[in-house]
Amino acid sequence: MAEEKIKIVVLERSSVGLDVSISMFEELGEVTAYNNTKYSEIAERVKDADIVVANKSRLNADTLGEAKNVKLICEFATGFDNVDLNYCKERGIGVCNVRNYCTAMVAQHTFALALFLSEKLSHYDLYVKSGQYASQERFSNFDIPFYELEGKTWGIIGMGNIGQRVAKIAEAFGCKVIFYSVTGNSTVTNYERVDLDTLLAESDYVSIHCPLSDITRNLINEETISKMKESAYLINVARGPIVNEEALYHALVDGKIAGAGLDVLCNEPIQSDSYLAKIQDSTKLIITPHLAWASVEARERCVEFNYDNIKEFLKGGRLNRIDE
C-alpha cells in the first residue's frame, strides 16, 4: 500500500484556510482538493479515493457506498460526528481525528470573550472613537462599572485538555476554580469538583468546554440559567446546541445574567431569525464566528497532525484512530 500512488481527496480545503498550505500531503500520494463540498457532491468526489480528508462533510453509507477503495477517513478537526462510525467499522474503514492542536487558542479566546464582556470594552472603545472622551475635561472615564477577575469563582463545565488549560489561566488571574464533570469520569483532582447546581450557583464565570452529546445537548437552558448569579457571565466555546439560545436570549434581555460570550451557535452561520441576532448590545453579548480554534498556528498543526495520521496509517500504524 505504501508504495502505491494512493489517491487522497480533501473535501473541505477551505476549512483550514487557504493561507495554510496542505502541500505536504503530496509527499504521500496524489491529492485532489476541493475548497468546499456539498452533500450532493460527496459521493462523486470520493468514489475513487483511498483516503478522504474532511471536516463537516457527512460520510456514511449514502456518500461512501460507491467508494470501494476508501481505507481511511481523516478529520480536519477533533470532532467526528459527521462520520458514521458503525458503517465505517463494517466496511473496515479507519477513522482518525486530530487532538490538542487548538487547545492554547481556544483557552485564549475564552478569556478574550470574558474580558471583552466584563470590562465593557465595546462601550469604552466607542466612547473614545465617538469623540466623547476628547470632549470631556477629566483624564478618565468609567461610567459603567467593571470588576477584577481576582477573587472571583470560575466554573468550568468539562475538564478535558482545554478545560484544564482554562483552569490554569483562571488561577493565574487569581480566580478560584471549580468544575463539573459531565460524564462523572474525570480524574482531575487538583481542582474542586462540584455538581452542576453548585457550579452554576457559585460561579462568577461559567465556561463550557465539553463535547456535544445526548447528555450535554440543551444542558444550559431556562432552568439551569435560573440558578446562575445575575452578575455571572456565560462563555461557550464548545458546541452551540449545549446552550438553549431562546432561553439565553430571555435571560440576557431580562437581566437574569450579566452577559454571554459565544463562539459557537446552534446553526452556523447564524440565521437571520435567530433570537440572539436581536441583541445588538455588545456589553451583554458578543458572538464570534466559530474561530476560537483557528489561529494560524492551530490550523498549521491541524494539517501537520493529519499528515502524521496518514503517514502512520501507510506504515501500518494507528495514530489517533477513533474507530477502535
Side-chain angles (χ1 to χ4, degrees), residues 113-130:
L113 294 174
L115 293 170
F116 179 91
L117 287 165
S118 62
E119 292 192 23
K120 313 300 180 185
L121 295 182
S122 60
H123 168 77
Y124 288 112
D125 180 55
L126 181 61
Y127 185 82
V128 174
K129 291 176 178 174
S130 68

Side-chain angles (χ1 to χ4, degrees), residues 15 18 36-37 40 52 60-61 65 72 103 106 108 127 144 156 169 176 179 195 266-267 277 284 316 324:
S15 68
L18 300 182
N36 294 291
T37 298
S40 60
V52 177
N60 50 38
L72 181 70
T103 299
V106 177
Q108 176 179 312
Y127 185 82
I144 298 181
I156 295 174
I169 298 172
K176 174 187 176 181
F179 78 98
D195 60 37
C266 292
N267 292 298
K284 282 185 174 292
E324 304 296 343

Side-chain angles (χ1 to χ4, degrees), residues 34-58:
Y34 302 95
N35 281 348
N36 294 291
T37 298
K38 298 177 182 177
Y39 185 76
S40 60
E41 299 171 328
I42 298 173
E44 177 64 24
R45 291 181 174 183
V46 304
K47 67 179 183 179
D48 296 322
D50 296 297
I51 295 175
V52 177
V53 183
N55 185 309
K56 301 296 184 185
S57 292
R58 289 161 55 196

Side-chain angles (χ1 to χ4, degrees), residues 211-226:
L212 178 64
S213 68
D214 290 341
I215 58 176
T216 62
R217 188 178 299 274
N218 206 42
L219 182 70
I220 303 301
N221 52 49
E222 182 179 1
E223 180 184 357
T224 49
I225 291 175
S226 70

